[in-house]
Amino acid sequence: MAELITVEDPDDPRLHDYTDLTDVELRRRREPAEGLFIAEGEKVIRRAVEAGYATRSLLLSAKWVETMRDVIEASPAPVYVVAPELAERVTGYHVHRGALASMQRKPLPTAAELLRTARRVAVMESVNDHTNIGAIFRSAAALGMDAVLLSRTARTPCTGAA
């Protein structure tokens, strides 16, 4: 079971994965380089865990500890319990879902690997806005796409298969 750690200092280095999440340029550089992505909210965290992504850590407000108890018990990753105000100071925005997880990225498959079995593929060329890319990935999933391919000119931290 993961250790529950109460954190009261917004400068605590253990919270590094969660700092300045509103800075798109920072995330675009840091998340891929550090091999992580941030999952926000109970449902997204659970889906990432179910999809086999390793949890690096969780950042929860106290009211989410019991709701996330099964995830906590199944994970060896540390769980940082913080006041909502501290989560906002660290991340740079109001964490209204009260639960964040730093997840380890999986290596991306090559285009050839994806296309070997994919029948329906969405291709994005030179799409650089993370909001647009998120909408495209959600639309691709809703339309039953097997994969999403991004050109090398698409500059975003969210790359991979749908």
Side-chain angles (χ1 to χ4, degrees):
M1 181 172 117
E3 179 183 1
L4 295 176
I5 303 164
T6 300
V7 178
E8 297 176 352
D9 179 3
D11 296 320
D12 189 313
R14 296 174 293 185
L15 303 182
H16 173 73
D17 288 357
Y18 305 99
T19 57
D20 300 320
L21 295 180
T22 58
D23 185 335
V24 175
E25 255 329 289
L26 174 67
R27 290 183 73 184
R28 194 176 284 163
R29 286 189 311 270
R30 198 175 100 200
E31 288 182 4
E34 295 178 23
L36 69 99
F37 69 93
I38 301 297
E40 181 179 2
E42 176 192 4
K43 290 179 184 176
V44 175
I45 294 169
R46 288 182 185 283
R47 289 188 81 178
V49 169
E50 289 167 9
Y53 288 93
T55 305
R56 293 164 53 118
S57 67
L58 288 138
L59 181 74
L60 305 175
S61 57
K63 74 175 193 172
W64 284 96
V65 171
E66 281 310 309
T67 303
M68 300 294 292
R69 178 66 61 189
D70 59 321
V71 173
I72 293 168
E73 289 177 357
S75 174
V79 177
Y80 304 116
V81 181
V82 300
E85 300 79 26
L86 188 120
E88 186 170 347
R89 280 189 63 194
V90 170
T91 63
Y93 70 97
H94 176 67
V95 184
H96 63 279
R97 290 187 178 101
L100 297 173
S102 174
M103 309 297 290
Q104 187 67 45
R105 287 174 178 254
K106 293 180 184 180
L108 291 176
T110 66
E113 290 169 329
L114 284 176
L115 295 174
R116 192 171 301 124
T117 58
R119 295 179 49 84
R120 297 177 58 164
V121 179
V123 179
M124 288 189 272
E125 186 173 351
S126 301
V127 180
N128 294 304
D129 181 89
H130 70 281
T131 303
N132 291 340
I133 289 176
I136 292 167
F137 267 78
R138 287 187 298 278
S139 297
L143 293 170
M145 295 292 159
D146 299 314
V148 177
L149 296 178
L150 282 74
S151 69
R152 293 197 187 280
T153 57
R155 297 169 51 182
T156 178
C158 26
T159 57

